[in-house]
Amino acid sequence: MFSFDSIKKYHAFLANDPNGCTIAVTHYLSQINKNKGLNAFINVYVEEAMQQAAVLDAKRTTGNSLKKLHGVIIAIKDVICYKDHEVTAASNILKGFRSVYNSTAVQRLLDEDAIIIGACNCDEFAMGSSSENSCYGPVLNALDETKVPGGSSGGSAVAVQAGMCMISLGSDTGGSVRQPADFCGVVGIKPTYGRISRYGLIAYASSFDQIGIFGNCIDDIEIALQVISGPDEFDSTAIQELPKSFSSTENSTKKYRIAYFKEAIEHPSLDKEISSSIGSLLNKLRSDGHQVEAVEFDLLDYVVPAYYMLTTAEASSNLSRFDGVRFGHRTKGPVADLTEFYKRTRSEGFGKEVQKRILLGTFVLSSGYYDAYYSKAQKVRRLLTNKIGDIFKDHDVIVLPTSPTTAFPLGEKMDDPIAMYLADIYTVFANLTGVPAISVPLFKHSNGLPFGLQAITNKQDEVTLLQFSQLLMQQYKTYQHLKKNE
Ligand code: GLN
């Protein structure tokens, strides 16, 4: 029976098995098939993946050294363009649309001989925190199918959680990689804004959007990040400089200067057990010689409102391209004029949550309200960026919960959008300020579900982020593996 632990061990296995990639793809396809009910995949590229595996198995006989992602089986969120494959953002408005080019991230994966096994379900246009806003129906959490997997990249998280791929890509505009990673018990990273090119990522809120990676271990995240990061002539916001390597090899003697926000750990919305687990972890880190310090943070209650003002404003502009004229769904109904054509097409094509956000975004940008809402939210964003800059003058890392609760029941928050939005309290901060952040699966709740710790470092300092995460995984993880019914 094939089993996967890490890319490194998989490559060692391939060295001794001439049919290794084929064996691996066969295994993952059967896992996907077995777990169909979780609804994590929208499309599975069965024949293609098998063909690619055969090509790679043959390639190894030439004796050349393996490329970095040789035969690594990867799933991508359905907002990331893969040439000649359907990409829909889980929306009726894009059903049947095939991408005409590769996103830079996908191109770089393919250039390193990765095998893309399928496209993952998610919230429509990445708007949501539970993967329930999808035109394909909700994704289920593999550890407890009555619970959500988190969102919006829920399918990508479950694909790793339930062993349906080795690593996966998601997108994170306000927590959509970290929060599902937290709910599913896997690692999820959102790199610095601009670290990974957004070319070919369907836009939600362009000044926040960032591709992120799910995996089982930090080493795999490091390899994938190394491959897909870097400048790109197709994305002018992509960061020009790259570290020599993203080495996560932990310097075991390093003592970190760790900041935490008392306001966050003591926030009334935070589950008591999550709060106390993080508290004990901080005590342990302190007694192990790290400097752990509470930093005052009085802006916490402004982050969610600012995030939803700014992202909906950007979304209202970004989503205006879906007009039924150039691509995607087009209304069949009789229409009197062009305005009615647009109205009908968009009302039929977009789901409720997306419509709500377009309306909200249009409102906050409208004259008369712009200064009261949009400009004010921009000012909050500036204050947060200044604040985080100050904190990183004296600290290496900030730790926070990833989410106030563990995975919640399906349907629980669907009628209460404010509750759904407020649950993004700990993750949106990193997107508003552009810094890299990760959710590391360290804990198990007495309700049986996993939860993670969120770590954040300064802009462009993924190296410290990965090294600190490695330390947490190796020395502070409180359980080993969480499988269904354990
Ligand atoms: N839950 C947040 C939202 O609904 C984050 C989404 C995301 O990161 N794509 O906007």
Side-chain angles (χ1 to χ4, degrees):
M1 236 275 287
F2 178 83
S3 75
F4 174 77
D5 198 48
S6 66
I7 295 174
K8 199 169 164 203
K9 288 193 185 151
Y10 172 55
H11 279 181
F13 155 79
L14 290 182
N16 297 317
D17 197 319
N19 299 317
C21 291
T22 305
I23 292 173
V25 169
T26 311
H27 165 81
Y28 284 103
L29 289 175
S30 97
Q31 283 292 108
I32 292 174
N33 208 24
K34 256 195 249 156
N35 290 295
K36 257 195 185 137
L38 300 175
N39 204 17
F41 280 85
I42 291 171
N43 280 310
V44 184
Y45 314 134
V46 179
E47 280 98 50
E48 249 176 76
M50 288 302 286
Q51 267 164 22
Q52 172 75 348
V55 168
L56 292 173
D57 283 338
K59 196 169 173 183
R60 280 199 310 287
T61 59
T62 62
N64 291 337
S65 62
L66 301 192
K67 289 201 175 177
K68 290 196 190 79
L69 294 174
H70 181 101
V72 173
I73 292 159
I74 301 181
I76 56 174
K77 182 177 181 180
D78 194 40
V79 290
I80 299 174
C81 293
Y82 182 14
K83 191 170 191 272
D84 298 330
H85 294 74
E86 190 187 25
V87 60
T88 72
S91 178
N92 279 322
I93 212 155
L94 273 174
K95 258 197 185 156
F97 174 74
R98 291 174 93 77
S99 178
V100 290
Y101 62 88
N102 274 334
S103 57
T104 298
V106 163
Q107 189 58 53
R108 289 180 179 168
L109 295 177
L110 295 172
D111 289 346
E112 288 296 332
D113 283 349
I115 300 175
I116 306 218
I117 199 153
C120 289
N121 200 355
C122 55
D123 283 302
E124 184 178 359
F125 285 99
M127 296 177 183
S129 309
S130 63
S131 299
E132 293 170 291
N133 302 327
S134 161
C135 72
Y136 304 99
V139 183
L140 312 183
N141 192 315
L143 283 165
D144 176 348
E145 294 178 17
T146 66
K147 303 286 189 311
V148 302
S152 62
S153 316
S156 304
V158 171
V160 170
Q161 179 196 36
M164 298 189 270
C165 63
M166 295 174 179
I167 52 178
S168 64
L169 297 189
S171 65
D172 190 315
T173 304
S176 278
V177 167
R178 288 159 287 152
Q179 183 256 22
D182 176 79
F183 281 11
C184 292
V186 300
V187 183
I189 188 171
K190 177 205 87 78
T192 307
Y193 177 78
R195 177 60 82 204
I196 299 168
S197 166
R198 286 180 296 113
Y199 181 69
L201 168 68
I202 294 179
Y204 160 15
S206 311
S207 76
F208 294 72
D209 295 341
Q210 180 58 196
I211 288 177
I213 307 162
F214 293 94
N216 286 306
C217 63
I218 306 296
D219 289 343
D220 291 355
I221 299 273
E222 173 196 326
I223 297 170
L225 186 62
Q226 185 85 46
V227 168
I228 60 179
S229 295
D232 179 12
E233 59 172 323
F234 297 124
D235 177 2
S236 59
T237 62
I239 299 171
Q240 292 301 313
E241 310 82 47
L242 263 180
K244 262 199 224 74
S245 93
F246 285 108
S247 173
S248 61
T249 311
E250 184 227 330
N251 174 355
S252 52
T253 54
K254 173 158 179 170
K255 296 298 172 206
Y256 290 89
R257 296 169 305 162
I258 302 164
Y260 71 95
F261 304 145
K262 227 169 161 208
E263 293 81 353
I265 310 282
E266 288 170 4
H267 200 271
S269 70
L270 182 63
D271 176 281
K272 294 282 161 295
E273 210 173 306
I274 298 183
S275 167
S276 67
S277 304
I278 294 179
S280 327
L281 174 74
L282 290 174
N283 287 338
K284 265 187 235 147
L285 285 162
R286 193 180 282 118
S287 60
D288 290 346
H290 302 280
Q291 176 197 312
V292 180
E293 224 174 59
V295 174
E296 177 261 335
F297 186 65
D298 50 11
L299 295 167
L300 195 60
D301 289 334
Y302 298 96
V303 297
V304 170
Y307 168 81
Y308 278 94
M309 295 293 108
L310 297 172
T311 52
T312 54
E314 293 188 24
S316 70
S317 163
N318 274 328
L319 271 59
S320 64
R321 74 193 65 183
F322 303 104
D323 56 8
V325 176
R326 288 164 292 185
F327 49 84
H329 172 75
R330 175 177 297 186
T331 186
K332 288 195 180 63
V335 288
D337 55 18
L338 187 61
T339 306
E340 199 191 339
F341 169 80
Y342 287 149
K343 267 195 201 160
R344 278 222 185 193
T345 297
R346 289 164 64 83
S347 305
E348 288 165 11
F350 288 132
K352 286 277 164 282
E353 180 65 25
V354 175
Q355 292 189 21
K356 185 166 66 194
R357 294 194 191 199
I358 293 172
L359 291 171
L360 182 59
T362 308
F363 174 75
V364 301
L365 287 175
S366 59
S367 71
Y369 295 102
Y370 186 96
D371 283 339
Y373 296 106
Y374 184 76
S375 302
K376 217 172 228 166
Q378 288 286 38
K379 288 177 190 160
V380 172
R381 193 176 198 181
R382 164 51 57 195
L383 289 176
L384 291 168
T385 308
N386 291 350
K387 174 83 190 169
I388 205 158
D390 284 345
I391 297 174
F392 284 124
K393 282 186 193 142
D394 304 317
H395 299 90
D396 305 308
V397 52
I398 301 173
V399 298
L400 277 174
T402 306
S403 179
T405 64
T406 54
F408 48 85
L410 283 153
E412 187 187 79
K413 294 194 173 48
M414 283 308 268
D415 296 328
D416 189 353
I418 303 290
M420 188 81 99
Y421 295 171
L422 285 175
D424 295 335
I425 183 164
Y426 301 119
T427 48
V428 295
F429 177 57
N431 305 77
L432 280 157
T433 54
V435 294
I438 193 167
S439 182
V440 188
L442 296 184
F443 309 105
K444 185 179 162 182
H445 197 276
S446 60
N447 65 15
L449 292 166
F451 62 97
L453 180 80
Q454 184 180 195
I456 301 177
T457 53
N458 207 353
K459 262 192 188 152
Q460 302 208 44
D461 193 6
E462 282 88 355
V463 174
T464 303
L465 189 66
L466 292 171
Q467 290 178 353
F468 182 67
S469 306
Q470 194 74 278
L471 172 81
L472 292 175
M473 286 286 268
Q474 286 172 0
Q475 291 183 32
Y476 299 93
K477 195 169 162 81
T478 57
Y479 66 91
Q480 276 316 308
H481 280 289
L482 211 52
K483 291 257 160 58
K484 214 170 169 170
N485 303 329
E486 228 169 59

